[in-house]
């Protein structure tokens, strides 16, 4: 049975005037500005009835930059306007789908005083997330390998998300002094119980089977079947979500979280992460660890204590606000937060986190403030305040595009 989300998309989808049942996969000719990218960081595959966008920075785990996001947005808009294209597929090259935004490049831009470049990146990637979340045609993301941060953001709002035994999902932003963004405050807040708070604060990973269990993914298959799925999708001439869903199910496999999975600890997780403050969450975990010597509690505490104290408080509030906001509202708020997070008004924990984790790799970030009790309400409030008078808000085409959530 099709969900209401599918029916809404189906009603709004654009008609396909020509169907070709036996088209072979082929590369789209390099004749327009969207595709003739000298760096080839986003490739295009497909036939007359569908398109596949391929994130192509394998040595960087397909980390996103502004140029890639701009290209994706233009491609998606052009494909949506093309009545002959029924659906769109998104995948990554190499061993990753997408490791997120290229935070090292952002770090270098900040150090070089090019903050405007960072703002443009956030504006562009959040716009892509919104386009995916409001797309009028079926969208299939093949999440084989690393799928983190902004990489998850450009996939999870879409209609279909296929995962494998190689999929690794995480939102690790608190460990680089930032906050889960690119729509993460929306989709994390809608996970069962308080799982979103756990994932957003600790940065812990989920595998493909766990993503299926909690609704982050729609289909699971063994990675060796992805080629079959792509070949089958390439022969389809349709814009009907039910046809695409049947095709994905044809090659699907059953997958269940193993006994060590956090999914089997959801009761204790909810008990500890339901609290209103980070301090109360940590106290609850410490009480559980003392009483039971549970390794999961001990490991979770360690993750929280490694993260940025300010990032933890900001992220908790962000996810809690996401429970009552639409996708576009979350993106507008996250854009505010991201601008404040790289401004000089607050300690630049983002630069320090990236330095420690990804540049110098000493893994000993010097957070400012260094502990939770020194994080003031004013610091947290500033993250959520509107930009200054001369700084525009993120503008999304909400009057003509409505998110199907």
């Amino acid at each position: 049975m099709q969900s209401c989300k599918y029916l809404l998309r189906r009603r709004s989808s654009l008609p396909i005037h020509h169907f070709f049942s036996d088209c072979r996969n082929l590369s789209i000719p390099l004749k327009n500005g969207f595709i003739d990218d000298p760096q080839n960081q986003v490739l295009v595959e497909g036939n007359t009835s569908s398109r596949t966008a391929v994130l192509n920075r394998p040595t960087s785990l397909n980390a996103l930059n502004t140029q890639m996001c701009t290209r994706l947005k233009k491609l998606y808009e052009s494909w949506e306007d093309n009545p002959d294209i029924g659906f769109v597929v998104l995948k990554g090259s190499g061993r990753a789908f997408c490791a997120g935004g290229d935070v090292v490049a952002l770090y270098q831009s900040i150090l070089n005083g090019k903050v405007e470049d960072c703002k443009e990146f956030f504006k562009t990637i959040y716009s892509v997330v919104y386009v995916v979340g409001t797309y009028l045609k079926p969208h299939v993301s093949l999440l084989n390998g690393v799928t983190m941060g902004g990489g998850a953001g450009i996939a999870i709002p879409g209609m279909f998300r296929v995962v494998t035994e190689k999929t690794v999902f995480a939102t690790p932003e608190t460990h680089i002094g930032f906050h889960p963004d690119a729509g993460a405050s929306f989709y994390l807040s809608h996970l069962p119980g308080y799982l979103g708070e756990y994932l957003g604060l600790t940065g812990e990973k989920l595998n493909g089977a766990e993503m299926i269990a909690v609704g982050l993914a729609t289909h699971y298959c063994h990675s060796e079947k992805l080629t079959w799925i792509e070949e089958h999708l390439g022969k389809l001439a349709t814009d009907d979500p039910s046809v695409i869903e049947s095709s994905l199910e044809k090659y699907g496999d059953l997958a269940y979280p193993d006994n060590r999975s956090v999914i089997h600890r959801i009761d204790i997780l909810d008990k500890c992460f339901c609290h209103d403050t980070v301090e109360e969450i940590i106290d609850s975990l410490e009480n559980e660890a003392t009483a039971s010597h549970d390794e999961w509690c001990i490991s979770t505490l360690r993750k929280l204590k490694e993260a940025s104290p300010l990032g933890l408080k900001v992220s908790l509030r962000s996810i809690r606000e996401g429970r009552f906001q639409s996708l576009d509202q979350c993106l507008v708020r996250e854009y505010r937060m991201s601008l404040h997070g790289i401004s000089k008004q607050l300690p630049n924990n983002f630069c320090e986190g990236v330095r420690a984790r990804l540049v110098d790799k000493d893994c000993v970030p010097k957070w400012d403030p260094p502990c939770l009790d020194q994080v003031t309400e004013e610091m947290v409030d500033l993250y959520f305040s509107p930009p200054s008078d001369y700084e525009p808000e993120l503008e999304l085409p909400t009057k003509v595009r409505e998110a199907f959530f």
Side-chain angles (χ1 to χ4, degrees):
M1 181 176 180
Q2 295 183 44
S3 68
C4 292
K5 174 179 174 182
Y6 291 174
L7 291 173
L8 279 168
R9 289 179 183 266
R10 174 62 177 152
R11 184 180 63 188
S12 303
S13 61
L14 299 175
I16 300 177
H17 299 318
H18 305 287
F19 294 85
F20 299 88
S21 60
D22 59 350
C23 291
R24 296 170 58 189
N25 285 350
L26 55 110
S27 297
I28 307 301
L30 305 181
K31 291 184 179 180
N32 62 55
F34 300 128
I35 298 173
D36 190 14
D37 183 345
Q39 298 184 17
N40 293 319
Q41 293 181 345
V42 178
L43 303 178
V44 176
E45 301 171 351
N47 54 44
T48 307
S49 302
S50 67
R51 295 291 186 274
T52 298
V54 186
L55 306 177
N56 190 43
R57 296 183 69 200
T59 57
S60 300
L61 300 181
N62 300 319
L64 297 165
N65 55 35
T66 305
Q67 293 73 27
M68 293 172 72
C69 294
T70 299
R71 178 162 156 75
L72 278 173
K73 184 170 181 289
K74 289 179 178 179
L75 286 170
Y76 272 48
E77 290 171 346
S78 69
W79 294 339
E80 191 174 61
D81 291 339
N82 187 335
D84 293 331
I85 296 175
F87 63 95
V88 172
V89 179
L90 179 63
K91 67 177 185 177
S93 61
R95 61 192 179 95
F97 169 71
C98 178
D102 190 340
V103 295
V104 173
L106 294 176
Y107 163 83
Q108 291 169 342
S109 292
I110 294 171
L111 292 187
N112 293 328
K114 298 180 179 179
V115 177
E116 292 300 318
D117 290 351
C118 299
K119 295 178 183 178
E120 186 63 24
F121 170 76
F122 292 126
K123 184 185 303 181
T124 309
I125 188 173
Y126 296 174
S127 296
V128 173
V129 173
Y130 186 68
V131 167
V132 172
T134 60
Y135 213 55
L136 297 181
K137 298 181 179 182
H139 185 271
V140 182
S141 298
L142 303 178
L143 309 180
N144 189 39
V146 175
T147 303
M148 295 186 179
I154 63 171
I156 288 177
M159 188 177 291
F160 300 112
R161 290 90 64 196
V162 181
V163 293
T164 75
E165 79 284 358
K166 296 182 179 180
T167 304
V168 181
F169 165 87
T171 51
E173 287 84 356
T174 60
H175 286 260
I176 56 168
F178 209 56
H179 61 96
D181 67 326
S185 67
F186 179 82
Y187 65 75
L188 289 177
S189 66
H190 288 72
L191 294 180
Y194 294 91
L195 181 63
E197 282 86 340
Y198 164 77
L199 295 173
L201 298 185
T202 65
E204 280 287 9
K205 304 177 183 68
L206 294 183
N207 60 33
E210 291 168 325
M211 291 180 71
I212 285 286
V214 302
L216 283 170
T218 59
H219 296 80
Y220 181 96
C221 74
H222 293 296
S223 56
E224 64 267 18
K225 292 184 179 179
L226 282 178
T227 301
W228 302 349
I229 289 176
E230 291 184 60
E231 289 178 354
H232 187 75
L233 291 176
K235 297 176 182 178
L236 294 180
T238 185
D239 67 347
D240 188 340
S242 65
V243 174
I244 296 170
E245 183 169 32
S246 297
S247 298
L248 296 175
E249 289 175 347
K250 179 179 180 180
Y251 297 101
D253 297 293
L254 294 177
Y256 302 98
D258 64 32
N259 293 333
R260 297 168 296 175
S261 172
V262 69
I263 305 303
H264 299 299
R265 298 177 177 274
I266 201 70
D267 289 340
I268 188 172
L269 184 154
D270 285 350
K271 178 181 178 181
C272 294
F273 280 84
C274 70
H275 299 288
D276 293 335
T277 68
V278 178
E279 289 90 341
E280 289 173 315
I281 290 172
I282 289 176
D283 285 345
S284 182
L285 283 164
E286 287 178 337
N287 291 336
E288 289 291 334
T290 300
S292 64
H293 303 288
D294 190 303
E295 179 56 36
W296 177 83
C297 292
I298 296 169
S299 173
T300 301
L301 280 167
R302 183 171 62 251
K303 287 284 187 179
L304 291 173
K305 292 178 180 179
E306 290 173 351
S308 158
L310 179 56
L312 288 174
K313 290 199 172 186
V314 167
S315 298
L316 179 61
R317 178 169 164 182
S318 177
I319 295 168
R320 293 283 162 84
E321 289 196 5
R323 289 175 179 263
F324 306 99
Q325 294 178 329
S326 60
L327 174 63
D328 56 285
Q329 290 171 330
C330 286
L331 289 168
V332 169
R333 172 177 47 73
E334 289 173 4
Y335 182 69
R336 291 181 177 184
M337 297 168 63
S338 296
L339 295 197
H340 287 303
I342 61 172
S343 73
K344 295 181 179 180
Q345 295 176 280
L346 286 160
N348 203 323
N349 285 302
F350 171 72
C351 281
E352 174 59 13
V354 174
R355 179 206 65 76
R357 306 288 184 193
L358 300 171
V359 179
D360 296 339
K361 299 182 181 180
D362 57 40
C363 295
V364 188
K366 296 178 175 60
W367 301 126
D368 184 12
C371 51
L372 287 168
D373 58 11
Q374 293 183 27
V375 178
T376 66
E377 288 188 18
E378 290 75 18
M379 290 178 183
V380 178
D381 288 341
L382 184 55
Y383 265 90
F384 295 82
S385 63
S388 58
D389 293 338
Y390 61 86
E391 188 72 60
E393 298 265 23
L394 176 66
E395 292 187 5
L396 298 170
T398 55
K399 293 182 180 180
V400 295
R401 307 182 68 93
E402 181 179 354
F404 294 97
F405 291 100

